[in-house]
Amino acid sequence: MNTLIERNQLLLRKIGLVIYDMFAVILSSILALVLRFEGKYDEIPRKYINMSLQYIIVVIAVTILVFCLLRLYGSLWSYAGATELINILIGSIISAGVQMGIIVLMDMRMPRSYYVFYAMCLFALVVFSRFSYRAFRTIVKRQKDMQTRTNVLMVGAGGAGNLLVREITNSSHVNKRVVCIVDDSRAKQGSYLHGVKIMGTREDIPSLVKKYHVDEIMLAIPSAPAREIKEILDICKETGCELKRLPGMYQLVNGEVSVSTLKEVDVNDLLGREPVKVDFSSILDYVSGKTILVTGGGGSIGSEICRQVAEHNPKRLVIVDIYENSAYDIQNELKNRYPQLELSVLIASVRNTKRIDLIFEKYRPDIVYHAAAHKHVPLMEDSPNEAVKNNVLGTWKVVQAADRWKTKRFVMISTDKAVNPTNIMGATKRICEMIVQTYNNRSQTEFVSVRFGNVLGSNGSVIPLFKKQIAQGGPVTVTHRDIIRYFMTIPEAVSLVLQAGVYARGGEIFVLDMGDPVRIADLARNLILLSGHKPDEDIPIVYTGLRPGEKLYEEMLMKEEGLRDTENKLIHIGMPIKMDEERFLMQLENLASYVVEEPGDIRERVQEIVPTYHPTLGGKR
């Protein structure tokens, strides 16, 4: 039924256009004479009017036929363009030629300019009929869009800014309008970019936002250093506008500068430091062609290790995780991105001695990245026995399997919380470091630890919590006004972990340079601002007090460890602390048999092994 109605509408539309074109031919004949005699109709000789209309039926018939052949009745005029305009011009010229041929054959005389004016008038009338509705609809739509369009302030009048302004201005699919541009170059002030004026520098952003009712700020400066980006964002975030920026210079080089390549500004951009650089060629040589096993491969750190390893052509990647949902997610992701990858995803607990041993026996991994651990500090304070079972005993079992099946290298993911720990999680990770150190001295496997601080966006990070609290309208909870942490993005941290694995010779504790510490309160405030709200007005920040096991700042090294540099200035080596390994292994055996009894004093046993563990220095238990 709908198809029949549509066909009838199309037929009526074609008939209407044919009738219109018939009258257009007649009207063009008269208008051509009016133009020839400078608009004075009374001065037109009657014979000229009679000659122009004497054979008009033939001219109309030929014109309609030519228009049909040029498909002027079958085009979708909503999407008409240059091709249709050229066809109308050709049809009008042919129509004028037909009329001239008839008049010459009939031995009549008309002013020579008549035929030119006729073609011009016919072209104008036909174009008007085809494009007037489209123009009218465009004007109406533009008026509606003007009311709903997002006002944009563009930062940067360079190559990227030029391309973005042009796309936004010309595209009918982008409901935005660039109202002003800022650029720090004094030479560009007062100039125009695609009709948009460059009105000031970064210092003028707040006043321009108010003056032009700006809704969104776009940063089109992909080559600017991170610190400069941070300085600009510090100005922009106070305006309450939505912030977007181009990810990097390669977007401009590859010709990918467009509105679609813009990304939301996030808290990573406010750290104000350059992205971590690693020697990917050495990682490629190190990983390529080898069997890699990643425990905790579905977690935030473990899954990123899997992604980056998969990029470097391993012989096989074996993912081990106890949580099936996260393991399933990373499995699907890697299958889609790397269909040729030899991938094995196994559900297993690192606490299961037999299961872990069978996995090592079957796959014989060359390199192991041990990321499986309980890491959430407050939860582990409430379940300290589980922290010991999973972190300490789990690591011990994986280390023993790596030793038994002669894995070449074992890299354990540690934490800055292992240094002078005040919580059970940090204390258990310190024991894990001691296990790795001990086995390195009595195994063919090269055992190393990599220690770093918080990673932005990880499962245990405050960022997801803050975002959720902001989405719910607040309050955002911070434990202490002065608490600070070291932060790094997950891909950065993992890149350095892989690089540290290249440098490993056995027994080292690699310490990653996390940059400058960040106040958590500032982090919360910046996230609120980036969400378009005002801290303590729209969304309050509430200080709840230190949680169990939490301290105001974290350390990366114990005094005894010392520090050596590597080729990468962001990776340092802390030397292992001398210890009585036989006594430690005996303590480990006792701890393993004791913790399964679910004792209430496991912290005291852990403190005997880790003398630097002081649980009373953290938050109240």
Side-chain angles (χ1 to χ4, degrees), residues 468-500:
K468 190 178 296 184
Q469 290 174 335
I470 291 168
Q472 294 171 348
V476 172
T477 56
V478 178
T479 57
H480 195 284
R481 193 178 299 273
D482 298 319
I483 193 169
I484 62 171
R485 289 292 182 268
Y486 292 92
F487 282 100
M488 184 177 282
T489 65
I490 294 174
E492 286 177 327
V494 168
S495 296
L496 291 177
V497 167
L498 295 180
Q499 182 83 72

Side-chain angles (χ1 to χ4, degrees), residues 392 395-396 399 431-439 584 588:
V392 176
T395 297
W396 193 15
V399 164
I431 296 177
C432 293
E433 291 180 351
M434 295 165 73
I435 293 172
V436 165
Q437 176 184 335
T438 300
Y439 271 79
F584 169 67
L588 202 56

Side-chain angles (χ1 to χ4, degrees), residues 76 110 145 174 282 307 548:
L76 291 173
M110 290 284 282
D145 288 347
V174 180
S282 65
R307 292 183 191 98

Side-chain angles (χ1 to χ4, degrees), residues 48-257:
Y48 287 157
I49 297 176
N50 292 336
M51 279 189 288
S52 68
L53 298 177
Q54 186 173 355
Y55 297 100
I56 199 69
I57 297 299
V58 178
V59 176
I60 288 172
V62 174
T63 301
I64 298 301
L65 177 62
V66 170
F67 281 11
C68 284
L69 293 175
L70 292 171
R71 299 176 180 175
L72 297 185
Y73 299 114
S75 297
L76 291 173
W77 292 101
S78 298
Y79 304 100
T83 302
E84 286 73 20
L85 281 173
I86 291 171
N87 287 340
I88 293 172
L89 179 62
I90 292 171
S92 301
I93 293 172
I94 292 174
S95 180
V98 168
Q99 194 172 51
M100 182 174 68
I102 292 172
I103 289 173
V104 170
L105 285 174
M106 294 297 107
D107 198 27
M108 296 184 287
R109 292 284 182 272
M110 290 284 282
R112 283 175 294 180
S113 60
Y114 165 79
Y115 305 110
V116 176
F117 286 132
Y118 170 81
M120 289 170 54
C121 291
L122 183 60
F123 175 78
L125 289 171
V126 175
V127 167
F128 175 79
S129 69
R130 268 54 170 189
F131 287 87
S132 59
Y133 171 71
R134 178 181 173 183
F136 173 76
R137 191 175 65 176
T138 300
I139 291 170
V140 171
K141 182 177 182 298
R142 185 169 293 176
Q143 290 297 322
K144 289 182 179 178
D145 288 347
M146 289 294 284
Q147 300 172 3
T148 59
R149 267 187 184 180
T150 300
N151 288 341
V152 174
L153 182 150
M154 188 73 65
V155 180
N162 170 58
L163 294 173
L164 279 175
V165 174
R166 184 175 65 185
E167 182 184 357
I168 293 171
T169 303
N170 297 335
S171 176
S172 59
H173 303 290
V174 180
N175 195 28
K176 301 178 187 292
R177 180 176 59 147
V178 182
V179 294
C180 57
I181 304 172
V182 299
D183 194 286
D184 285 345
S185 172
R186 297 292 177 184
K188 295 179 181 179
Q189 300 306 311
S191 302
Y192 287 83
L193 198 63
H194 298 288
V196 184
K197 190 174 183 179
I198 301 170
M199 295 186 175
T201 63
R202 68 179 75 173
E203 287 79 14
D204 300 306
I205 290 175
S207 60
L208 290 172
V209 165
K210 290 181 181 179
K211 182 176 180 180
Y212 292 98
H213 306 288
V214 173
D215 305 299
E216 185 175 305
I217 298 174
M218 292 184 178
L219 273 66
I221 42 176
S223 60
R227 190 155 294 279
E228 184 179 344
I229 293 286
K230 179 184 183 300
E231 290 171 0
I232 295 172
L233 288 176
D234 283 339
I235 296 172
C236 295
K237 71 186 182 184
E238 303 292 341
T239 64
C241 295
E242 184 178 352
L243 305 179
K244 290 184 178 177
R245 74 174 187 89
L246 282 173
M249 187 61 188
Y250 74 91
Q251 301 279 0
L252 185 60
V253 174
N254 293 345
E256 299 174 12
V257 175

